[in-house]
PDB file of all heavy atoms in Angstrom:
ATOM      1  N   PRO A1472    -123.901 -40.653  72.196  1.00 92.00           N
ATOM      2  CA  PRO A1472    -124.327 -42.048  72.052  1.00 92.00           C
ATOM      3  C   PRO A1472    -123.527 -42.777  70.981  1.00 92.00           C
ATOM      4  O   PRO A1472    -123.360 -42.275  69.861  1.00 92.00           O
ATOM      5  CB  PRO A1472    -125.795 -41.920  71.644  1.00 92.00           C
ATOM      6  CG  PRO A1472    -126.232 -40.619  72.209  1.00 92.00           C
ATOM      7  CD  PRO A1472    -125.037 -39.725  72.099  1.00 92.00           C
ATOM      8  N   GLY A1473    -123.016 -43.934  71.331  1.00 95.00           N
ATOM      9  CA  GLY A1473    -122.268 -44.741  70.379  1.00 95.00           C
ATOM     10  C   GLY A1473    -120.854 -44.274  70.124  1.00 95.00           C
ATOM     11  O   GLY A1473    -120.171 -44.843  69.256  1.00 95.00           O
ATOM     12  N   LYS A1474    -120.414 -43.260  70.844  1.00 97.00           N
ATOM     13  CA  LYS A1474    -119.070 -42.730  70.638  1.00 97.00           C
ATOM     14  C   LYS A1474    -118.257 -42.812  71.933  1.00 97.00           C
ATOM     15  O   LYS A1474    -118.805 -42.945  73.021  1.00 97.00           O
ATOM     16  CB  LYS A1474    -119.129 -41.290  70.140  1.00 97.00           C
ATOM     17  CG  LYS A1474    -119.771 -41.129  68.773  1.00 97.00           C
ATOM     18  CD  LYS A1474    -119.639 -39.703  68.261  1.00 97.00           C
ATOM     19  CE  LYS A1474    -120.210 -39.556  66.870  1.00 97.00           C
ATOM     20  NZ  LYS A1474    -120.073 -38.165  66.361  1.00 97.00           N
ATOM     21  N   GLU A1475    -116.946 -42.704  71.775  1.00 97.00           N
ATOM     22  CA  GLU A1475    -116.072 -42.708  72.930  1.00 97.00           C
ATOM     23  C   GLU A1475    -116.083 -41.336  73.609  1.00 97.00           C
ATOM     24  O   GLU A1475    -116.371 -40.312  72.990  1.00 97.00           O
ATOM     25  CB  GLU A1475    -114.648 -43.075  72.505  1.00 97.00           C
ATOM     26  CG  GLU A1475    -114.517 -44.495  71.995  1.00 97.00           C
ATOM     27  CD  GLU A1475    -113.070 -44.880  71.713  1.00 97.00           C
ATOM     28  OE1 GLU A1475    -112.200 -43.993  71.807  1.00 97.00           O
ATOM     29  OE2 GLU A1475    -112.825 -46.048  71.404  1.00 97.00           O
ATOM     30  N   ARG A1476    -115.739 -41.352  74.882  1.00 97.00           N
ATOM     31  CA  ARG A1476    -115.622 -40.099  75.613  1.00 97.00           C
ATOM     32  C   ARG A1476    -114.437 -39.308  75.047  1.00 97.00           C
ATOM     33  O   ARG A1476    -113.363 -39.869  74.796  1.00 97.00           O
ATOM     34  CB  ARG A1476    -115.443 -40.358  77.099  1.00 97.00           C
ATOM     35  CG  ARG A1476    -115.530 -39.127  77.976  1.00 97.00           C
ATOM     36  CD  ARG A1476    -115.497 -39.493  79.452  1.00 97.00           C
ATOM     37  NE  ARG A1476    -116.649 -40.323  79.825  1.00 97.00           N
ATOM     38  CZ  ARG A1476    -116.946 -40.641  81.087  1.00 97.00           C
ATOM     39  NH1 ARG A1476    -116.189 -40.204  82.082  1.00 97.00           N
ATOM     40  NH2 ARG A1476    -117.988 -41.398  81.352  1.00 97.00           N
ATOM     41  N   GLU A1477    -114.630 -38.003  74.860  1.00 97.00           N
ATOM     42  CA  GLU A1477    -113.577 -37.176  74.288  1.00 97.00           C
ATOM     43  C   GLU A1477    -113.358 -35.924  75.116  1.00 97.00           C
ATOM     44  O   GLU A1477    -114.278 -35.425  75.776  1.00 97.00           O
ATOM     45  CB  GLU A1477    -113.937 -36.772  72.847  1.00 97.00           C
ATOM     46  CG  GLU A1477    -115.192 -35.934  72.725  1.00 97.00           C
ATOM     47  CD  GLU A1477    -115.452 -35.459  71.300  1.00 97.00           C
ATOM     48  OE1 GLU A1477    -114.578 -35.616  70.428  1.00 97.00           O
ATOM     49  OE2 GLU A1477    -116.550 -34.905  71.068  1.00 97.00           O
ATOM     50  N   LEU A1478    -112.151 -35.413  75.038  1.00 98.00           N
ATOM     51  CA  LEU A1478    -111.819 -34.172  75.731  1.00 98.00           C
ATOM     52  C   LEU A1478    -112.506 -32.997  75.051  1.00 98.00           C
ATOM     53  O   LEU A1478    -112.497 -32.882  73.831  1.00 98.00           O
ATOM     54  CB  LEU A1478    -110.309 -33.942  75.724  1.00 98.00           C
ATOM     55  CG  LEU A1478    -109.832 -32.594  76.261  1.00 98.00           C
ATOM     56  CD1 LEU A1478    -110.054 -32.500  77.765  1.00 98.00           C
ATOM     57  CD2 LEU A1478    -108.371 -32.368  75.906  1.00 98.00           C
ATOM     58  N   VAL A1479    -113.105 -32.131  75.858  1.00 98.00           N
ATOM     59  CA  VAL A1479    -113.672 -30.889  75.352  1.00 98.00           C
ATOM     60  C   VAL A1479    -112.694 -29.745  75.612  1.00 98.00           C
ATOM     61  O   VAL A1479    -112.300 -29.032  74.706  1.00 98.00           O
ATOM     62  CB  VAL A1479    -115.023 -30.583  76.036  1.00 98.00           C
ATOM     63  CG1 VAL A1479    -115.527 -29.209  75.615  1.00 98.00           C
ATOM     64  CG2 VAL A1479    -116.042 -31.670  75.711  1.00 98.00           C
ATOM     65  N   ALA A1480    -112.305 -29.590  76.872  1.00 98.00           N
ATOM     66  CA  ALA A1480    -111.395 -28.509  77.252  1.00 98.00           C
ATOM     67  C   ALA A1480    -110.771 -28.824  78.601  1.00 98.00           C
ATOM     68  O   ALA A1480    -111.359 -29.546  79.408  1.00 98.00           O
ATOM     69  CB  ALA A1480    -112.132 -27.174  77.319  1.00 98.00           C
ATOM     70  N   GLY A1481    -109.588 -28.286  78.819  1.00 98.00           N
ATOM     71  CA  GLY A1481    -108.902 -28.473  80.092  1.00 98.00           C
ATOM     72  C   GLY A1481    -108.258 -27.179  80.540  1.00 98.00           C
ATOM     73  O   GLY A1481    -108.001 -26.282  79.731  1.00 98.00           O
ATOM     74  N   ILE A1482    -108.020 -27.095  81.842  1.00 97.00           N
ATOM     75  CA  ILE A1482    -107.346 -25.917  82.405  1.00 97.00           C
ATOM     76  C   ILE A1482    -106.488 -26.388  83.573  1.00 97.00           C
ATOM     77  O   ILE A1482    -106.948 -27.160  84.424  1.00 97.00           O
ATOM     78  CB  ILE A1482    -108.377 -24.850  82.846  1.00 97.00           C
ATOM     79  CG1 ILE A1482    -107.673 -23.595  83.360  1.00 97.00           C
ATOM     80  CG2 ILE A1482    -109.367 -25.396  83.853  1.00 97.00           C
ATOM     81  CD1 ILE A1482    -108.627 -22.398  83.515  1.00 97.00           C
ATOM     82  N   ASN A1483    -105.244 -25.950  83.599  1.00 94.00           N
ATOM     83  CA  ASN A1483    -104.370 -26.411  84.671  1.00 94.00           C
ATOM     84  C   ASN A1483    -104.347 -25.401  85.813  1.00 94.00           C
ATOM     85  O   ASN A1483    -105.061 -24.389  85.805  1.00 94.00           O
ATOM     86  CB  ASN A1483    -102.974 -26.718  84.133  1.00 94.00           C
ATOM     87  CG  ASN A1483    -102.219 -25.480  83.672  1.00 94.00           C
ATOM     88  OD1 ASN A1483    -102.645 -24.346  83.904  1.00 94.00           O
ATOM     89  ND2 ASN A1483    -101.081 -25.703  83.026  1.00 94.00           N
ATOM     90  N   SER A1484    -103.520 -25.674  86.799  1.00 91.00           N
ATOM     91  CA  SER A1484    -103.491 -24.839  87.992  1.00 91.00           C
ATOM     92  C   SER A1484    -102.947 -23.443  87.711  1.00 91.00           C
ATOM     93  O   SER A1484    -103.179 -22.523  88.505  1.00 91.00           O
ATOM     94  CB  SER A1484    -102.644 -25.508  89.090  1.00 91.00           C
ATOM     95  OG  SER A1484    -101.346 -25.786  88.609  1.00 91.00           O
ATOM     96  N   ASP A1485    -102.251 -23.268  86.600  1.00 93.00           N
ATOM     97  CA  ASP A1485    -101.745 -21.945  86.213  1.00 93.00           C
ATOM     98  C   ASP A1485    -102.727 -21.190  85.329  1.00 93.00           C
ATOM     99  O   ASP A1485    -102.418 -20.085  84.879  1.00 93.00           O
ATOM    100  CB  ASP A1485    -100.410 -22.083  85.476  1.00 93.00           C
ATOM    101  CG  ASP A1485     -99.314 -22.606  86.379  1.00 93.00           C
ATOM    102  OD1 ASP A1485     -99.311 -22.235  87.572  1.00 93.00           O
ATOM    103  OD2 ASP A1485     -98.473 -23.394  85.899  1.00 93.00           O
ATOM    104  N   GLY A1486    -103.874 -21.818  85.057  1.00 93.00           N
ATOM    105  CA  GLY A1486    -104.865 -21.168  84.213  1.00 93.00           C
ATOM    106  C   GLY A1486    -104.644 -21.359  82.726  1.00 93.00           C
ATOM    107  O   GLY A1486    -105.347 -20.748  81.922  1.00 93.00           O
ATOM    108  N   ILE A1487    -103.712 -22.193  82.377  1.00 97.00           N
ATOM    109  CA  ILE A1487    -103.460 -22.468  80.964  1.00 97.00           C
ATOM    110  C   ILE A1487    -104.531 -23.424  80.446  1.00 97.00           C
ATOM    111  O   ILE A1487    -104.807 -24.445  81.076  1.00 97.00           O
ATOM    112  CB  ILE A1487    -102.059 -23.055  80.762  1.00 97.00           C
ATOM    113  CG1 ILE A1487    -101.006 -22.030  81.211  1.00 97.00           C
ATOM    114  CG2 ILE A1487    -101.842 -23.438  79.298  1.00 97.00           C
ATOM    115  CD1 ILE A1487     -99.605 -22.567  81.211  1.00 97.00           C
ATOM    116  N   THR A1488    -105.103 -23.075  79.317  1.00 97.00           N
ATOM    117  CA  THR A1488    -106.221 -23.838  78.782  1.00 97.00           C
ATOM    118  C   THR A1488    -105.849 -24.567  77.500  1.00 97.00           C
ATOM    119  O   THR A1488    -104.910 -24.191  76.793  1.00 97.00           O
ATOM    120  CB  THR A1488    -107.417 -22.921  78.494  1.00 97.00           C
ATOM    121  OG1 THR A1488    -107.030 -21.928  77.538  1.00 97.00           O
ATOM    122  CG2 THR A1488    -107.886 -22.223  79.756  1.00 97.00           C
ATOM    123  N   ASN A1489    -106.599 -25.607  77.213  1.00 97.00           N
ATOM    124  CA  ASN A1489    -106.485 -26.292  75.934  1.00 97.00           C
ATOM    125  C   ASN A1489    -107.874 -26.754  75.527  1.00 97.00           C
ATOM    126  O   ASN A1489    -108.721 -27.043  76.387  1.00 97.00           O
ATOM    127  CB  ASN A1489    -105.502 -27.463  75.990  1.00 97.00           C
ATOM    128  CG  ASN A1489    -105.952 -28.566  76.907  1.00 97.00           C
ATOM    129  OD1 ASN A1489    -105.955 -28.431  78.119  1.00 97.00           O
ATOM    130  ND2 ASN A1489    -106.383 -29.689  76.325  1.00 97.00           N
ATOM    131  N   TYR A1490    -108.108 -26.798  74.229  1.00 97.00           N
ATOM    132  CA  TYR A1490    -109.417 -27.131  73.691  1.00 97.00           C
ATOM    133  C   TYR A1490    -109.284 -28.137  72.553  1.00 97.00           C
ATOM    134  O   TYR A1490    -108.307 -28.132  71.808  1.00 97.00           O
ATOM    135  CB  TYR A1490    -110.103 -25.878  73.140  1.00 97.00           C
ATOM    136  CG  TYR A1490    -110.402 -24.818  74.163  1.00 97.00           C
ATOM    137  CD1 TYR A1490    -109.471 -23.813  74.436  1.00 97.00           C
ATOM    138  CD2 TYR A1490    -111.611 -24.811  74.847  1.00 97.00           C
ATOM    139  CE1 TYR A1490    -109.735 -22.836  75.379  1.00 97.00           C
ATOM    140  CE2 TYR A1490    -111.893 -23.836  75.786  1.00 97.00           C
ATOM    141  CZ  TYR A1490    -110.951 -22.857  76.051  1.00 97.00           C
ATOM    142  OH  TYR A1490    -111.223 -21.884  76.983  1.00 97.00           O
ATOM    143  N   ALA A1491    -110.320 -28.949  72.417  1.00 96.00           N
ATOM    144  CA  ALA A1491    -110.423 -29.761  71.214  1.00 96.00           C
ATOM    145  C   ALA A1491    -110.668 -28.820  70.041  1.00 96.00           C
ATOM    146  O   ALA A1491    -111.294 -27.770  70.194  1.00 96.00           O
ATOM    147  CB  ALA A1491    -111.571 -30.753  71.354  1.00 96.00           C
ATOM    148  N   ASP A1492    -110.170 -29.199  68.891  1.00 95.00           N
ATOM    149  CA  ASP A1492    -110.235 -28.301  67.731  1.00 95.00           C
ATOM    150  C   ASP A1492    -111.657 -27.851  67.409  1.00 95.00           C
ATOM    151  O   ASP A1492    -111.893 -26.689  67.075  1.00 95.00           O
ATOM    152  CB  ASP A1492    -109.617 -28.983  66.511  1.00 95.00           C
ATOM    153  CG  ASP A1492    -108.094 -29.067  66.613  1.00 95.00           C
ATOM    154  OD1 ASP A1492    -107.513 -28.336  67.434  1.00 95.00           O
ATOM    155  OD2 ASP A1492    -107.502 -29.869  65.867  1.00 95.00           O
ATOM    156  N   SER A1493    -112.614 -28.758  67.526  1.00 92.00           N
ATOM    157  CA  SER A1493    -113.984 -28.420  67.125  1.00 92.00           C
ATOM    158  C   SER A1493    -114.662 -27.466  68.112  1.00 92.00           C
ATOM    159  O   SER A1493    -115.719 -26.909  67.814  1.00 92.00           O
ATOM    160  CB  SER A1493    -114.819 -29.690  66.978  1.00 92.00           C
ATOM    161  OG  SER A1493    -114.895 -30.390  68.212  1.00 92.00           O
ATOM    162  N   MET A1494    -114.069 -27.250  69.282  1.00 92.00           N
ATOM    163  CA  MET A1494    -114.652 -26.365  70.287  1.00 92.00           C
ATOM    164  C   MET A1494    -113.961 -25.003  70.337  1.00 92.00           C
ATOM    165  O   MET A1494    -114.494 -24.067  70.942  1.00 92.00           O
ATOM    166  CB  MET A1494    -114.537 -26.994  71.683  1.00 92.00           C
ATOM    167  CG  MET A1494    -115.471 -28.166  71.933  1.00 92.00           C
ATOM    168  SD  MET A1494    -115.088 -29.593  70.904  1.00 92.00           S
ATOM    169  CE  MET A1494    -115.690 -30.941  71.854  1.00 92.00           C
ATOM    170  N   LYS A1495    -112.810 -24.888  69.713  1.00 93.00           N
ATOM    171  CA  LYS A1495    -112.074 -23.625  69.765  1.00 93.00           C
ATOM    172  C   LYS A1495    -112.906 -22.495  69.191  1.00 93.00           C
ATOM    173  O   LYS A1495    -113.504 -22.611  68.132  1.00 93.00           O
ATOM    174  CB  LYS A1495    -110.758 -23.750  68.993  1.00 93.00           C
ATOM    175  CG  LYS A1495    -109.719 -24.607  69.691  1.00 93.00           C
ATOM    176  CD  LYS A1495    -108.435 -24.692  68.873  1.00 93.00           C
ATOM    177  CE  LYS A1495    -107.402 -25.569  69.577  1.00 93.00           C
ATOM    178  NZ  LYS A1495    -106.168 -25.718  68.767  1.00 93.00           N
ATOM    179  N   GLY A1496    -112.944 -21.386  69.917  1.00 94.00           N
ATOM    180  CA  GLY A1496    -113.696 -20.225  69.477  1.00 94.00           C
ATOM    181  C   GLY A1496    -115.157 -20.241  69.878  1.00 94.00           C
ATOM    182  O   GLY A1496    -115.838 -19.214  69.793  1.00 94.00           O
ATOM    183  N   ARG A1497    -115.661 -21.392  70.301  1.00 97.00           N
ATOM    184  CA  ARG A1497    -117.068 -21.489  70.713  1.00 97.00           C
ATOM    185  C   ARG A1497    -117.209 -21.743  72.208  1.00 97.00           C
ATOM    186  O   ARG A1497    -118.151 -21.255  72.835  1.00 97.00           O
ATOM    187  CB  ARG A1497    -117.777 -22.617  69.956  1.00 97.00           C
ATOM    188  CG  ARG A1497    -117.796 -22.439  68.456  1.00 97.00           C
ATOM    189  CD  ARG A1497    -118.715 -23.455  67.785  1.00 97.00           C
ATOM    190  NE  ARG A1497    -118.299 -24.839  68.040  1.00 97.00           N
ATOM    191  CZ  ARG A1497    -119.093 -25.768  68.574  1.00 97.00           C
ATOM    192  NH1 ARG A1497    -120.330 -25.475  68.936  1.00 97.00           N
ATOM    193  NH2 ARG A1497    -118.640 -26.997  68.753  1.00 97.00           N
ATOM    194  N   PHE A1498    -116.292 -22.530  72.774  1.00 98.00           N
ATOM    195  CA  PHE A1498    -116.357 -22.897  74.183  1.00 98.00           C
ATOM    196  C   PHE A1498    -115.235 -22.193  74.947  1.00 98.00           C
ATOM    197  O   PHE A1498    -114.147 -21.987  74.415  1.00 98.00           O
ATOM    198  CB  PHE A1498    -116.194 -24.399  74.352  1.00 98.00           C
ATOM    199  CG  PHE A1498    -117.335 -25.232  73.814  1.00 98.00           C
ATOM    200  CD1 PHE A1498    -118.371 -24.669  73.101  1.00 98.00           C
ATOM    201  CD2 PHE A1498    -117.349 -26.604  74.028  1.00 98.00           C
ATOM    202  CE1 PHE A1498    -119.406 -25.440  72.615  1.00 98.00           C
ATOM    203  CE2 PHE A1498    -118.379 -27.388  73.546  1.00 98.00           C
ATOM    204  CZ  PHE A1498    -119.417 -26.806  72.835  1.00 98.00           C
ATOM    205  N   THR A1499    -115.527 -21.854  76.204  1.00 98.00           N
ATOM    206  CA  THR A1499    -114.524 -21.248  77.069  1.00 98.00           C
ATOM    207  C   THR A1499    -114.561 -21.935  78.431  1.00 98.00           C
ATOM    208  O   THR A1499    -115.621 -22.004  79.068  1.00 98.00           O
ATOM    209  CB  THR A1499    -114.780 -19.748  77.261  1.00 98.00           C
ATOM    210  OG1 THR A1499    -114.786 -19.099  75.987  1.00 98.00           O
ATOM    211  CG2 THR A1499    -113.693 -19.130  78.133  1.00 98.00           C
ATOM    212  N   ILE A1500    -113.406 -22.434  78.840  1.00 98.00           N
ATOM    213  CA  ILE A1500    -113.299 -23.055  80.154  1.00 98.00           C
ATOM    214  C   ILE A1500    -112.667 -22.059  81.120  1.00 98.00           C
ATOM    215  O   ILE A1500    -111.776 -21.283  80.741  1.00 98.00           O
ATOM    216  CB  ILE A1500    -112.474 -24.365  80.091  1.00 98.00           C
ATOM    217  CG1 ILE A1500    -112.543 -25.115  81.422  1.00 98.00           C
ATOM    218  CG2 ILE A1500    -111.030 -24.093  79.688  1.00 98.00           C
ATOM    219  CD1 ILE A1500    -111.938 -26.524  81.356  1.00 98.00           C
ATOM    220  N   SER A1501    -113.130 -22.078  82.350  1.00 97.00           N
ATOM    221  CA  SER A1501    -112.559 -21.206  83.382  1.00 97.00           C
ATOM    222  C   SER A1501    -112.695 -21.910  84.735  1.00 97.00           C
ATOM    223  O   SER A1501    -113.423 -22.893  84.856  1.00 97.00           O
ATOM    224  CB  SER A1501    -113.257 -19.846  83.405  1.00 97.00           C
ATOM    225  OG  SER A1501    -114.640 -19.998  83.688  1.00 97.00           O
ATOM    226  N   ARG A1502    -111.974 -21.398  85.712  1.00 95.00           N
ATOM    227  CA  ARG A1502    -112.037 -21.998  87.034  1.00 95.00           C
ATOM    228  C   ARG A1502    -112.005 -20.922  88.106  1.00 95.00           C
ATOM    229  O   ARG A1502    -111.391 -19.866  87.922  1.00 95.00           O
ATOM    230  CB  ARG A1502    -110.911 -23.005  87.237  1.00 95.00           C
ATOM    231  CG  ARG A1502    -109.512 -22.435  87.162  1.00 95.00           C
ATOM    232  CD  ARG A1502    -108.446 -23.537  87.130  1.00 95.00           C
ATOM    233  NE  ARG A1502    -108.228 -24.139  88.439  1.00 95.00           N
ATOM    234  CZ  ARG A1502    -107.435 -25.185  88.650  1.00 95.00           C
ATOM    235  NH1 ARG A1502    -106.798 -25.755  87.634  1.00 95.00           N
ATOM    236  NH2 ARG A1502    -107.275 -25.667  89.874  1.00 95.00           N
ATOM    237  N   ASP A1503    -112.665 -21.215  89.212  1.00 94.00           N
ATOM    238  CA  ASP A1503    -112.642 -20.341  90.382  1.00 94.00           C
ATOM    239  C   ASP A1503    -112.016 -21.167  91.495  1.00 94.00           C
ATOM    240  O   ASP A1503    -112.672 -22.036  92.084  1.00 94.00           O
ATOM    241  CB  ASP A1503    -114.061 -19.903  90.738  1.00 94.00           C
ATOM    242  CG  ASP A1503    -114.093 -18.915  91.894  1.00 94.00           C
ATOM    243  OD1 ASP A1503    -113.180 -18.948  92.748  1.00 94.00           O
ATOM    244  OD2 ASP A1503    -115.038 -18.122  91.963  1.00 94.00           O
ATOM    245  N   ASN A1504    -110.757 -20.923  91.766  1.00 91.00           N
ATOM    246  CA  ASN A1504    -110.041 -21.735  92.743  1.00 91.00           C
ATOM    247  C   ASN A1504    -110.606 -21.579  94.150  1.00 91.00           C
ATOM    248  O   ASN A1504    -110.576 -22.519  94.949  1.00 91.00           O
ATOM    249  CB  ASN A1504    -108.558 -21.390  92.730  1.00 91.00           C
ATOM    250  CG  ASN A1504    -107.888 -21.819  91.434  1.00 91.00           C
ATOM    251  OD1 ASN A1504    -108.271 -22.806  90.815  1.00 91.00           O
ATOM    252  ND2 ASN A1504    -106.886 -21.069  91.013  1.00 91.00           N
ATOM    253  N   ALA A1505    -111.111 -20.403  94.466  1.00 92.00           N
ATOM    254  CA  ALA A1505    -111.669 -20.177  95.796  1.00 92.00           C
ATOM    255  C   ALA A1505    -112.910 -21.033  96.023  1.00 92.00           C
ATOM    256  O   ALA A1505    -113.222 -21.411  97.154  1.00 92.00           O
ATOM    257  CB  ALA A1505    -111.998 -18.706  95.980  1.00 92.00           C
ATOM    258  N   LYS A1506    -113.619 -21.320  94.944  1.00 93.00           N
ATOM    259  CA  LYS A1506    -114.847 -22.115  95.035  1.00 93.00           C
ATOM    260  C   LYS A1506    -114.646 -23.555  94.576  1.00 93.00           C
ATOM    261  O   LYS A1506    -115.603 -24.335  94.563  1.00 93.00           O
ATOM    262  CB  LYS A1506    -115.948 -21.465  94.195  1.00 93.00           C
ATOM    263  CG  LYS A1506    -116.374 -20.091  94.670  1.00 93.00           C
ATOM    264  CD  LYS A1506    -117.495 -19.531  93.797  1.00 93.00           C
ATOM    265  CE  LYS A1506    -117.946 -18.170  94.295  1.00 93.00           C
ATOM    266  NZ  LYS A1506    -119.024 -17.601  93.436  1.00 93.00           N
ATOM    267  N   ASN A1507    -113.407 -23.898  94.186  1.00 93.00           N
ATOM    268  CA  ASN A1507    -113.138 -25.246  93.661  1.00 93.00           C
ATOM    269  C   ASN A1507    -114.130 -25.617  92.566  1.00 93.00           C
ATOM    270  O   ASN A1507    -114.681 -26.724  92.535  1.00 93.00           O
ATOM    271  CB  ASN A1507    -113.191 -26.290  94.787  1.00 93.00           C
ATOM    272  CG  ASN A1507    -112.046 -26.152  95.763  1.00 93.00           C
ATOM    273  OD1 ASN A1507    -110.929 -25.796  95.370  1.00 93.00           O
ATOM    274  ND2 ASN A1507    -112.307 -26.411  97.022  1.00 93.00           N
ATOM    275  N   THR A1508    -114.341 -24.678  91.669  1.00 96.00           N
ATOM    276  CA  THR A1508    -115.356 -24.853  90.635  1.00 96.00           C
ATOM    277  C   THR A1508    -114.754 -24.594  89.264  1.00 96.00           C
ATOM    278  O   THR A1508    -113.949 -23.676  89.086  1.00 96.00           O
ATOM    279  CB  THR A1508    -116.539 -23.905  90.876  1.00 96.00           C
ATOM    280  OG1 THR A1508    -117.124 -24.207  92.146  1.00 96.00           O
ATOM    281  CG2 THR A1508    -117.600 -24.060  89.797  1.00 96.00           C
ATOM    282  N   VAL A1509    -115.176 -25.416  88.315  1.00 97.00           N
ATOM    283  CA  VAL A1509    -114.780 -25.226  86.924  1.00 97.00           C
ATOM    284  C   VAL A1509    -116.044 -24.994  86.106  1.00 97.00           C
ATOM    285  O   VAL A1509    -117.090 -25.576  86.375  1.00 97.00           O
ATOM    286  CB  VAL A1509    -113.973 -26.432  86.392  1.00 97.00           C
ATOM    287  CG1 VAL A1509    -114.782 -27.718  86.437  1.00 97.00           C
ATOM    288  CG2 VAL A1509    -113.453 -26.170  84.987  1.00 97.00           C
ATOM    289  N   TYR A1510    -115.916 -24.113  85.129  1.00 98.00           N
ATOM    290  CA  TYR A1510    -117.047 -23.736  84.287  1.00 98.00           C
ATOM    291  C   TYR A1510    -116.732 -24.037  82.829  1.00 98.00           C
ATOM    292  O   TYR A1510    -115.585 -24.066  82.417  1.00 98.00           O
ATOM    293  CB  TYR A1510    -117.352 -22.240  84.425  1.00 98.00           C
ATOM    294  CG  TYR A1510    -117.584 -21.782  85.842  1.00 98.00           C
ATOM    295  CD1 TYR A1510    -116.537 -21.233  86.591  1.00 98.00           C
ATOM    296  CD2 TYR A1510    -118.830 -21.890  86.434  1.00 98.00           C
ATOM    297  CE1 TYR A1510    -116.741 -20.798  87.889  1.00 98.00           C
ATOM    298  CE2 TYR A1510    -119.043 -21.466  87.739  1.00 98.00           C
ATOM    299  CZ  TYR A1510    -117.994 -20.924  88.458  1.00 98.00           C
ATOM    300  OH  TYR A1510    -118.201 -20.501  89.750  1.00 98.00           O
ATOM    301  N   LEU A1511    -117.807 -24.224  82.070  1.00 98.00           N
ATOM    302  CA  LEU A1511    -117.669 -24.349  80.620  1.00 98.00           C
ATOM    303  C   LEU A1511    -118.773 -23.520  79.979  1.00 98.00           C
ATOM    304  O   LEU A1511    -119.952 -23.866  80.071  1.00 98.00           O
ATOM    305  CB  LEU A1511    -117.781 -25.811  80.166  1.00 98.00           C
ATOM    306  CG  LEU A1511    -117.557 -26.039  78.673  1.00 98.00           C
ATOM    307  CD1 LEU A1511    -116.083 -25.757  78.314  1.00 98.00           C
ATOM    308  CD2 LEU A1511    -117.937 -27.453  78.262  1.00 98.00           C
ATOM    309  N   GLN A1512    -118.376 -22.422  79.377  1.00 98.00           N
ATOM    310  CA  GLN A1512    -119.311 -21.581  78.631  1.00 98.00           C
ATOM    311  C   GLN A1512    -119.344 -22.085  77.196  1.00 98.00           C
ATOM    312  O   GLN A1512    -118.309 -22.127  76.532  1.00 98.00           O
ATOM    313  CB  GLN A1512    -118.875 -20.115  78.674  1.00 98.00           C
ATOM    314  CG  GLN A1512    -119.759 -19.188  77.869  1.00 98.00           C
ATOM    315  CD  GLN A1512    -121.155 -19.057  78.437  1.00 98.00           C
ATOM    316  OE1 GLN A1512    -121.328 -18.939  79.650  1.00 98.00           O
ATOM    317  NE2 GLN A1512    -122.163 -19.087  77.573  1.00 98.00           N
TER     318      GLN A1512
END
C-alpha cells in the first residue's frame, strides 16, 4: 500500500534467476515448463 510495484524475482527460459536484494536467501523462484507454471517459495 502506498508504494510502487517492485520486482521480487525473475527466471528466464534457461532457468537463470535474479532476485531483489531484500529477498535473496529467503525467496526461491522456480518454473515448471511442462505446466507453464512459475512458483515463489
Side-chain angles (χ1 to χ4, degrees):
K1474 296 187 177 180
E1475 294 186 354
R1476 189 174 298 189
E1477 62 175 350
L1478 173 69
V1479 174
I1482 183 167
N1483 68 10
S1484 56
D1485 294 324
I1487 298 173
T1488 60
N1489 65 289
Y1490 297 90
D1492 287 343
S1493 61
M1494 287 66 154
K1495 288 180 181 177
R1497 299 190 300 124
F1498 292 7
T1499 302
I1500 188 171
S1501 60
R1502 62 190 284 174
D1503 184 332
N1504 292 328
K1506 296 181 179 179
N1507 291 325
T1508 299
V1509 61
Y1510 305 95
L1511 184 68
Q1512 177 67 43

